[in-house]
Structure formats: C-alpha cells, structure tokens
Amino acid sequence: MNNGDNNNSLELTRELVKSGARSAEQIASEYLGRINASGDNCFISVLDAMAQARDIDDKARSGFDGKLLGAVVAIKDNMRYIGSVTTCGSAILTDKDTEDCEVVKRLKAAGAVIVGKTNMDEFAMGSSNATSAYGNVLNPLDRTRVPGGSSGGSAAAVASGLCMAALGSDTGGSIRQPASYCGVVGLKPTLGSIDGSGMYALSQDMDQIGPITKTVDENRLMFEVLSGKAMEKAEVKGLTVGLVREFEHWYTEDTKRVIQRAKEVLSSIGCRFVEVSLPSADAAFATYRALGNTQSANNLRNIGTAQERTDKLGIEVKKRILIGEYVLAHPEIAERAKRVKNKIISEFAKAFNLCDIIVSPSAPSVAFKFTDDRNNKEIVYSDIFTQPPSIAGLPALSVPCVKGESGLPIGVQLVGKKNAENVLFEIGKLFE
Ligand code: GLN
C-alpha cells in the first residue's frame, strides 16, 4: 500500500476502512496475493485472513472501530492462534491450538487482520533463521544473506511489504537484530509490559513479545495496542546520552558509523554525550546462555517423547538442551550466572544515574551471507549489544541508522530506563 505522506500505514488503513473507501477484504486479499507470490519463505502458515477481514467489514459497517481496523498483521509462529499449528519452527509440534494467545486476542479486539505466522529459528534459538525446520528465510534486501533471527520471518515480511506490521519475540536480540538486518524498526519492550501468555517460552525470565514495523510511528501504535498503555509525549531535547565503553572493542568500520550518525542526529537537538561503563557486558553472553539454556532444557522436557525429541529436534536445540542440562547438574554455574545478572542490572542502574538513554549499534555487522563462516566472531556474537539490556529487562528500540560498506543497513539500538518506551520512540523518529 502506498502511504502517501503519512508514515503510518496502520492509521491510514483505519481511515480507509472506516470511511468505506476500501474494505478490509480488498486490502487483505492484496497482501495474501503478495505473500503467495513471494519466494522468500517468510511464512510458515497463512491464516483465515479473508474470513477475518469480512467479519471486520461487517462489524465496521455497524459502527465497530479499533486502532488497528483492517491492518494486516503477522505473528511469529511461536504464538498460539486458535485452529492453527504453532510450530515454533520445529518439526516436533503438530497439534492444533485450542486457544488464541493473549496478544492475538488484543490484535483481534483492535480490528487487525492476522494474515499468517512467520518463520523463525527453531524454538527461537538462533540469529539467522537457518535453524528453522521449515527452511531459510531470504533477506529481501539481498537474497544471498540471512534475515537475522530468531524473528527473521517477521522482519523480512515487514521489509518486503507482506504485512504492515509483525510480532516477534526477543530474549537476547531476536527482534532487534533481524530488524537491523532487514532495515526495519523493532522494539524489545520493558520486560513484562506485554502479556506473553500463550506463547511458547524459550526462557520465560527474558522472553518479551514486541512489534516490528516499517516506521517508528507504527511501532508506537502497535506497542500501545499490545501493552494497553498510552504513550505520553516525551521531551527529548537536551537529554544526556550514554555510550558504553566496553562495547568499543566490538566496533567495526560499519558500526563506528552508527555511533557517528547518532552523535550528529542527537547533537542537533542539544543532547550531550557521556561515557558509561558496563564492566560485566562481556559476560552477558555466557550469563544469557547459562540462565536461558537451563530454562529451555526444562521447558523442552515437556514437548514430545524422548524418542521424538531425538528424531525431530534440530542440532542447535539439542546443543542448548545439553548446555542447559550441564548447568542444571552444576548448580554453582547457575548461581554464578545469577550473580553476574545482578551485577549487570546494577551496572545499568549506575549508568542511568549519568544518562537518560544509552545508544549502541543494534548488531556488530550487516546481515551475513548464508555461506559465511559460522565460527566468525561477529556471527557468534551477533547479540553482543542486545543481550545486556535483555538481561536487565530494559526496553530497547532498533531503528535503521546507516548503510554499511556493502550498502546494507545497520540499526541503532536505543536503550531506555524501564517503561521509557515513549522516550525511545521520540528519539527513534529523529533517525528516520
Ligand atoms: N540469537 C539469540 C539466541 O540464539 C537470541 C534469541 C532470542 O532472542 N530468541 O539465543
């Protein structure tokens, strides 16, 4: 759909459907046509979108309205939708859902058409979508490259206009990193601010559902609907912006440009930059794995039989179950990881005594090629900037910021204090 001057296709759609200028059915059928024609493998399944759209049109004629009236939205395939099989990108899950998850209920109540369920790394474990049992997703900006992960199908679907907005889930970077790779906007909200009931857990202490959209305005609207919170306007002129000293040794030519651009954009509204320190940031990866993988190992015990798990789970999932079982057998490791987690939380608290937001690249590189060396440190550590805020439960927004040398996008990650999403949205708009 052509947005004209309005950079909020969701609002525009609502107006069109409300006025009767277009029907939800017409709009949904256009998107379904594009999904069917796409060869990028963004979707694992397509839903009863035409029936949903007709229902919305009927209701709209008798006065129903909602913030997402007629909007075409996709959900990651770890979120339950009644009558569909939620696969989590795995061959092991084959039963149909008997209930909608909470976010689906909210999207439906707001008048959205839920068009389909997007491809993902198996059980949300991965950074490339390559661990999906349903095959790779291609990055629409360069089809020799990965879309990122684990919400790669959602980010790629938004980037190529197969839906207006999509939901992802982010435990250590799975919304922000694919958003960065696909050149779209992704929010990992404050932990707990959107109800995740009815979603399959990777690591329930860190999992957070959030929206992926083309623009910041659309992202804000989606967040309002999903969280039920109204975003108050934030004053962002003259804020103090923190740059993390310990992130610097990860910077490359490409990511240095993110910091440079952030300085240009934010200085122009009178922001001041200060250095902040997260001494435990480099331990975030190990902490994330130790705490996350134990929860994953426990969760996966309840899925299928032992034989089915042997036959049907992919290698990445099995690897993490092994790590998780190892940590469960050595409780001192988990104890240590919990101590590091608390240190990370208090280091962020100290940093936020010195600044209002923290800025970093969203990922250490642009989207990598399917053929790239999987032991490459930038690939292994592709969540290096996103994991620390996840461990601390803080909100973080990725907005497209610069093009790397290859011409592909890299996002800027804006990390805020708890529940300061409104500040992130306000700052994020400056990068558009
Ligand atoms: N890429 C990270 C991982 O593989 C993040 C996953 C996520 O956030 N779901 O664990």
Side-chain angles (χ1 to χ4, degrees), residues 66-317:
K67 282 185 169 175
L68 297 178
L69 192 70
V72 178
V73 178
I75 58 174
K76 185 174 177 176
D77 203 21
N78 57 355
M79 300 174 198
R80 287 180 173 85
Y81 183 98
I82 194 162
S84 82
V85 178
T86 296
T87 69
C88 290
S90 181
I92 203 168
L93 295 173
T94 51
D95 289 343
K96 285 193 175 159
D97 297 331
T98 52
E99 224 194 313
D100 287 335
C101 64
E102 184 58 32
V103 284
V104 162
K105 288 181 188 160
R106 290 186 190 188
L107 291 175
K108 284 183 173 172
V113 173
I114 304 175
V115 70
K117 305 184 77 185
T118 56
N119 206 342
M120 58 184 280
D121 279 297
E122 187 173 13
F123 284 104
M125 297 173 184
S127 306
S128 64
N129 230 283
T131 73
S132 170
Y134 292 84
N136 288 333
V137 174
L138 307 186
N139 187 323
L141 304 179
D142 176 346
R143 294 187 164 81
T144 67
R145 292 175 191 258
V146 306
S150 61
S151 311
S154 290
V158 170
S160 53
L162 304 184
C163 55
M164 296 173 192
L167 300 192
S169 63
D170 188 316
T171 309
S174 278
I175 288 175
R176 292 159 284 166
Q177 183 256 27
S180 180
Y181 284 9
C182 293
V184 293
V185 179
L187 173 72
K188 201 269 324 165
T190 305
L191 190 65
S193 59
I194 294 174
D195 187 343
S197 315
M199 179 182 80
Y200 279 88
L202 167 62
S203 164
Q204 47 277 33
D205 285 352
M206 289 183 279
D207 294 341
Q208 182 55 57
I209 294 175
I212 299 177
T213 54
K214 276 226 164 98
T215 70
V216 173
D217 279 339
E218 292 163 343
N219 211 286
R220 175 171 43 204
L221 181 60
M222 286 291 290
F223 179 67
E224 286 185 332
V225 168
L226 295 166
S227 67
K229 292 182 191 165
M231 290 291 96
E232 280 166 29
K233 207 161 162 47
E235 180 50 77
V236 296
K237 282 188 192 140
L239 289 188
T240 305
V241 181
L243 296 173
V244 180
R245 184 191 308 147
E246 291 77 10
F247 282 171
E248 272 172 33
H249 73 100
W250 290 99
Y251 290 168
T252 57
E253 285 313 308
D254 277 356
T255 48
K256 278 181 194 155
R257 282 146 92 165
V258 172
I259 299 299
Q260 199 189 332
R261 175 91 187 119
K263 284 184 175 163
E264 282 162 23
V265 169
L266 297 174
S267 306
S268 75
I269 59 155
C271 290
R272 194 169 63 85
F273 283 80
V274 295
E275 190 180 75
V276 295
S277 179
L278 300 175
S280 305
D282 277 356
F285 181 78
T287 308
Y288 169 82
R289 282 299 176 92
L291 297 177
N293 291 358
T294 45
Q295 284 195 318
S296 303
N298 274 328
N299 296 335
L300 285 160
R301 284 208 189 110
N302 302 320
I303 291 178
T305 61
Q307 190 60 50
E308 282 170 333
R309 291 196 288 278
T310 305
D311 295 343
K312 294 185 176 164
L313 292 177
I315 192 75
E316 182 65 26
V317 177

